């Protein structure tokens, strides 16, 4: 009898989930920023406009068939079997005498055989280097009590001959360094080598400031990372500052692990200055379980504090000429997760378009200037907030016409958050409804029983639905008021794609060769535009997403190189044809 009752309860629960639109099937896609339980800012004197979530400087390492994600100030780390569902492991790595906000800042990982090692950043030489053979649980011990490198923003490399190297540097004055590590003692050996410096007088993207135009402060170089590919060494670094939309990663290449290094022709190799979620700097390049390349990096918010940040994961690859690049085109739209059939020389974008950019919005209430339209303006820095965090507050978006909806992303904002540090018992609950007329509603997703923290909730529907309206109803907030920086619906509209962009011109002056001014004719059918650029016509690896404008000021150019440009228009129905390639000397 007990078995029958249990079976019926399980069956009823399963039917409820299906009716509510939740799929028990394996989700095949993800959307940036990734949806993990980010901790709250742990630095009291850094909390300016309010408490907020924050992490950055991520590393993803594959170890014993799983992915391990470490990042700044999280009092632990995550592991995943599929790079989608992340499991948090609570752990404090530093010794009691260290300040709480120093907990594992800008970490580095090292895999030696059946052992995973991890260390945080430090200018001192008494931080431990930790090791574990079973990091799915909090089972760690000290490999070295005091690691004598004293490295900030470190990165490791195990070479083919089993020799170990470390790279580090975080400064707007000092260079990046490298040194060999004794594999047995795990202590430094040999001389410290200078590997690279910033040259913002040549590399436009390295200049300080939100628009790469600050002439008073020198840019910061940080976030070292090293990969080896086809016998070459790729030393990566972040610049010009973590609080800027143009925060990116560059790379130098060498034939030996400690150089000499040469600036790669395509740089920055990881770059995302436009769109909803901006910034793609200070990260790590790695291969998934199917040997496809990815790059994980820092996304910038920088509203409540300069260090308010998130994490993004982007497909990456090496081309036929061994050029390392990261594909961030439509990088905050749904992309396919790792799978055996993936080919990263091709885009991993699903083709599901944003359906509700700047479309009409209704809300239950609005707090001061945090107006409803800020939830659909494709800017993670702005957000709508209800007056309370109470059950029953809601937001409704009109797609403009009945459309096919494949996925929804709900980005919560931290309005009046009351938490500090890492919390493992907070959670969100909501109900998502769909409608064709805005009067009769059906439950699309029911998370009213959810007990997990989902600050950047992303739901891929098991079966696409056709609807014109979506309504998000709050049940429970993790903290603070019910506030949304992006209520985003993805799929396909029923209309036509935009025509090719007309009258696209690129103007590059003689006085400042690192900048160019791009202009084009407004396309009446376009939601936005994607600009592609690079230093070769077949290597347009840099992309910039632009909404609500017909011009863009591009400041990331190499001073003495010709550049090539293309542009395409897009809307909720799809992507238009790219323009012809333009060359500027």
């Amino acid at each position: 009898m007990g078995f029958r009752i249990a079976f019926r309860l399980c069956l009823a629960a399963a039917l409820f989930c299906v009716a509510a639109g939740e799929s028990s099937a394996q989700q095949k896609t993800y959307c940036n920023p990734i949806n993990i339980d980010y901790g709250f800012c742990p630095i009291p004197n850094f909390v300016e406009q309010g408490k907020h979530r924050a992490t950055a400087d991520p590393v993803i390492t594959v170890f014993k068939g799983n992915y391990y994600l470490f990042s700044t100030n999280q009092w632990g780390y995550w592991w995943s079997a599929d790079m989608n569902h992340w499991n948090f492991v609570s752990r404090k790595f530093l010794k009691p005498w260290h300040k709480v906000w120093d907990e594992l800042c800008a970490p580095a990982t090292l895999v030696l055989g059946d052992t995973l090692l991890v260390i945080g950043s430090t200018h001192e030489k008494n931080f431990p280097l930790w090791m574990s053979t079973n990091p799915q649980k909090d089972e760690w011990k000290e490999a070295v009590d005091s690691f004598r490198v004293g490295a900030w923003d470190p990165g490791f490399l195990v070479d083919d001959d089993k020799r170990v190297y470390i790279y580090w540097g975080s400064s707007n004055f000092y260079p990046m360094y490298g040194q060999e590590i004794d594999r047995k003692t795990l202590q430094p050996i040999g001389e410290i080598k200078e590997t690279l410096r910033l040259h913002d007088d040549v590399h436009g993207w390295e200049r300080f400031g939100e628009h790469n135009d600050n002439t008073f402060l020198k840019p910061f170089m940080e976030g070292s990372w090293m990969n080896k590919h086809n016998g070459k060494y790729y030393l990566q670094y972040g610049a010009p500052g973590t609080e800027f939309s143009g925060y990116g990663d560059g790379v130098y290449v060498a034939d030996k692990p400690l150089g000499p290094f040469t600036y790669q022709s395509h740089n920055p190799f990881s770059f995302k200055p436009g769109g909803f979620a901006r910034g793609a700097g200070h990260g790590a390049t790695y291969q998934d379980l199917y040997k496809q390349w990815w790059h994980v990096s820092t996304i910038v918010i920088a509203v409540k504090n300069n260090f308010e940040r998130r994490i993004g994961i982007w497909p990456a690859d090496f081309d036929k000429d061994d050029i390392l690049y990261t594909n961030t085109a439509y990088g905050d739209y749904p992309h396919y997760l790792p799978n055996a059939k993936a080919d990263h020389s091709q885009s991993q974008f699903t083709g599901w378009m944003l359906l509700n950019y700047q479309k009409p919005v209704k809300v239950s209430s609005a707090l001061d200037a945090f107006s409803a339209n800020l939830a659909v303006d494709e800017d993670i820095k702005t957000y709508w907030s209800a007056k309370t965090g109470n059950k029953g507050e809601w937001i409704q978006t009109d797609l403009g016409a009945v459309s096919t909806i494949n996925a929804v992303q709900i980005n919560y904002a931290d309005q009046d958050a009351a938490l500090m540090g890492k919390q493992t018992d907070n959670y969100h609950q909501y109900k998502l409804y769909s409608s064709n007329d805005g009067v009769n509603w059906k439950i699309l997703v029911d998370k009213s029983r959810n007990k997990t923290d989902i600050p950047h909730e992303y739901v891929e529907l098991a079966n696409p639905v056709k609807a014109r309206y979506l309504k998000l109803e709050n049940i429970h907030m993790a903290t603070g008021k019910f506030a949304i920086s992006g209520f985003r619906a993805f799929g396909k509209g029923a209309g036509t794609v935009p025509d090719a962009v007309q009258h696209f011109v690129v103007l590059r002056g003689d006085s400042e060769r690192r900048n160019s001014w791009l202009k084009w004719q407004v396309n009446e059918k376009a939601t936005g535009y994607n600009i592609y650029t690079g230093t070769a016509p077949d290597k347009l690896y840099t992309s910039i997403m632009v909404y609500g404008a017909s011009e863009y000021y591009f400041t990331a150019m190499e001073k003495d190189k010709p550049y090539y440009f293309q542009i395409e228009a897009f809307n909720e129905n799809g992507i238009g044809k790219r323009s012809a390639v333009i060359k500027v000397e």
Side-chain angles (χ1 to χ4, degrees):
M1 181 66 71
F3 172 81
R4 291 180 181 176
I5 293 174
F7 176 80
R8 288 173 181 172
L9 289 173
C10 290
L11 179 60
L15 290 173
F16 173 81
C17 288
V18 171
E22 296 183 52
S23 172
S24 59
Q26 180 70 26
Q27 186 160 299
K28 297 179 180 179
T29 63
Y30 75 101
C31 192
N32 288 316
I34 63 170
N35 185 32
I36 55 176
D37 52 331
Y38 299 89
F40 289 80
C41 178
I43 311 174
N45 60 335
F46 276 16
V47 178
E48 297 165 356
Q49 299 178 32
K51 298 183 175 73
H52 57 277
R53 296 178 187 269
T55 195
D57 321 319
V59 172
I60 290 181
T61 298
V62 174
F63 179 69
K64 293 185 177 180
N66 288 304
Y67 303 94
Y68 288 86
L69 168 59
F70 296 84
S71 63
T72 288
N73 292 337
Q74 294 300 292
W75 295 273
Y77 56 94
W78 296 267
W79 70 269
S80 173
D82 57 7
M83 228 172 74
N84 180 48
H85 300 95
W86 293 95
N87 307 283
F88 185 73
V89 180
S90 182
R91 168 76 187 182
K92 289 190 176 181
F93 284 96
L94 301 189
K95 296 181 178 180
W97 60 79
H98 292 292
K99 296 176 182 178
V100 66
W101 51 84
D102 286 335
E103 174 59 31
L104 205 59
C105 183
T109 57
L110 175 65
V111 176
L112 292 179
D114 68 346
T115 303
L116 176 64
L117 296 98
V118 64
I119 193 170
S121 294
T122 174
H123 289 304
E124 303 172 8
K125 297 186 178 182
N126 62 354
F127 271 36
L129 178 62
W130 293 91
M131 60 183 288
S132 176
T133 58
N134 184 28
Q136 286 190 26
K137 298 181 179 180
D138 181 15
E139 296 179 2
W140 296 81
K141 63 180 180 180
E142 290 184 0
V144 173
D145 174 74
S146 299
F147 188 52
R148 295 199 300 271
V149 175
W152 200 270
D153 286 7
F156 287 105
L157 170 75
V158 181
D159 209 345
D160 298 335
D161 59 6
K162 307 301 182 183
R163 294 169 73 175
V164 180
Y165 299 87
I166 188 171
Y167 307 86
W168 74 93
S170 178
S171 174
N172 64 347
F173 179 79
Y174 294 105
M176 189 168 284
Y177 300 100
Q179 191 175 18
E180 186 173 355
I181 300 294
D182 187 289
R183 188 182 177 98
K184 294 182 179 179
T185 66
L186 297 176
Q187 293 291 7
I189 57 176
E191 64 177 309
I192 297 174
K193 294 286 188 70
E194 179 179 321
T195 57
L196 61 94
R197 288 179 178 267
L198 294 184
H199 294 282
D200 55 303
D201 57 327
V202 176
H203 312 316
W205 75 276
E206 291 180 350
R207 289 175 292 179
F208 200 70
E210 176 68 16
H211 305 290
N212 306 107
D213 58 358
N214 190 312
T215 59
F216 300 101
L217 295 175
K218 295 296 292 181
F220 283 83
M221 176 178 62
E222 53 197 3
S224 60
W225 188 258
M226 173 65 87
N227 292 99
K228 188 177 184 180
H229 175 73
N230 279 354
K232 297 180 180 180
Y233 300 85
Y234 293 76
L235 181 56
Q236 300 147 54
Y237 65 99
T242 191
E243 62 267 54
F244 304 129
S245 297
Y247 192 38
D249 281 339
V251 60
Y252 279 69
V253 186
D255 294 323
K256 298 180 181 180
L258 293 176
F261 289 92
T262 302
Y263 190 74
Q264 183 178 264
S265 59
H266 164 62
N267 263 313
F269 79 92
S270 177
F271 192 57
K272 192 182 180 301
F276 173 71
R278 304 172 191 171
H282 193 145
T285 306
Y286 64 99
Q287 285 181 289
D288 63 25
L289 297 176
Y290 310 101
K291 301 303 179 183
Q292 293 288 341
W293 289 97
W294 297 82
H295 189 69
V296 59
S297 57
T298 304
I299 288 173
V300 178
I301 298 181
V303 172
K304 296 181 174 65
N305 180 271
N306 285 356
F307 301 105
E308 183 183 12
R309 299 164 293 180
R310 299 293 192 268
I311 293 174
I313 301 177
W314 330 95
D317 205 2
F318 293 85
D319 71 11
K320 59 183 177 59
D321 299 313
D322 290 335
I323 298 295
L324 171 62
Y325 66 96
T326 297
N327 190 343
T328 61
Y330 302 95
D332 50 42
Y333 284 22
H335 275 61
Y336 288 110
L337 286 161
N339 63 87
K341 297 180 180 180
D343 177 5
H344 281 205
S345 67
Q346 305 298 316
S347 173
Q348 297 304 296
F349 173 39
T350 60
W352 301 341
M353 307 307 296
L354 181 69
L355 301 173
N356 62 329
Y357 170 68
Q358 296 289 37
K359 298 289 178 67
V361 181
K362 293 181 179 179
V363 295
S364 55
S365 66
L367 176 69
D368 301 329
F370 299 101
S371 58
N373 64 296
L374 297 178
V376 294
D377 68 349
E378 279 301 278
D379 187 349
I380 200 172
K381 294 174 179 285
T382 64
Y383 57 90
W384 160 76
S385 177
K387 291 182 178 180
T388 75
N390 296 343
K391 180 179 179 180
E393 296 275 19
W394 55 267
I395 178 171
Q396 174 184 319
T397 180
D398 180 355
L399 309 185
V402 173
S403 304
T404 301
I405 303 170
N406 293 82
V408 177
Q409 189 189 39
I410 302 165
N411 298 273
Y412 290 92
D414 301 324
Q415 180 61 31
D416 294 334
L419 302 177
M420 289 285 284
K422 186 67 180 184
Q423 311 291 325
T424 57
D425 58 354
N426 55 315
Y427 56 93
H428 301 83
Q429 293 176 339
Y430 68 88
K431 288 183 180 181
L432 181 67
Y433 302 86
S434 66
S435 173
N436 286 334
D437 57 11
V439 177
N440 300 293
W441 297 90
K442 296 179 181 179
I443 292 181
L444 188 61
V445 179
D446 189 334
K447 289 288 184 78
S448 59
R449 302 175 187 174
N450 176 63
K451 289 292 185 179
T452 57
D453 191 12
I454 45 176
H456 294 279
E457 169 78 326
Y458 172 71
V459 178
E460 174 191 334
L461 302 179
N463 297 296
V465 301
K466 290 186 179 295
R468 174 172 175 172
Y469 300 91
L470 290 175
K471 183 176 180 180
L472 176 66
E473 179 188 357
N474 181 52
I475 304 298
H476 178 83
M477 281 294 296
T479 184
K481 293 181 171 61
F482 184 45
I484 304 293
S485 63
F487 183 20
R488 311 172 78 208
F490 295 101
K492 282 292 179 70
T496 59
V497 302
D499 300 326
V501 176
Q502 301 296 314
H503 305 300
F504 178 50
V505 296
V506 182
L507 304 175
R508 185 180 192 180
D510 294 327
S511 60
E512 178 47 87
R513 303 286 294 160
R514 295 168 293 179
N515 300 346
S516 61
W517 185 28
L518 286 65
K519 287 184 66 66
W520 56 91
Q521 181 178 313
V522 172
N523 190 314
E524 297 297 337
K525 293 182 180 180
T527 294
Y529 307 87
N530 222 5
I531 301 164
Y532 299 89
T533 183
T535 55
D538 60 340
K539 299 181 189 295
L540 305 184
Y541 299 140
T542 295
S543 63
I544 304 129
M545 183 176 274
V546 178
Y547 290 95
S550 58
E551 63 180 359
Y552 184 78
Y553 198 51
F554 183 53
T555 58
M557 300 172 75
E558 298 296 304
K559 183 177 181 179
D560 301 317
K561 288 185 177 181
Y563 268 76
Y564 300 82
F565 293 86
Q566 271 186 313
I567 190 171
E568 65 190 14
F570 63 88
N571 61 17
E572 63 270 25
N573 307 309
I575 302 169
K577 184 180 179 180
R578 287 196 194 186
S579 69
V581 175
I582 293 177
K583 181 182 180 181
V584 291
E585 297 288 351

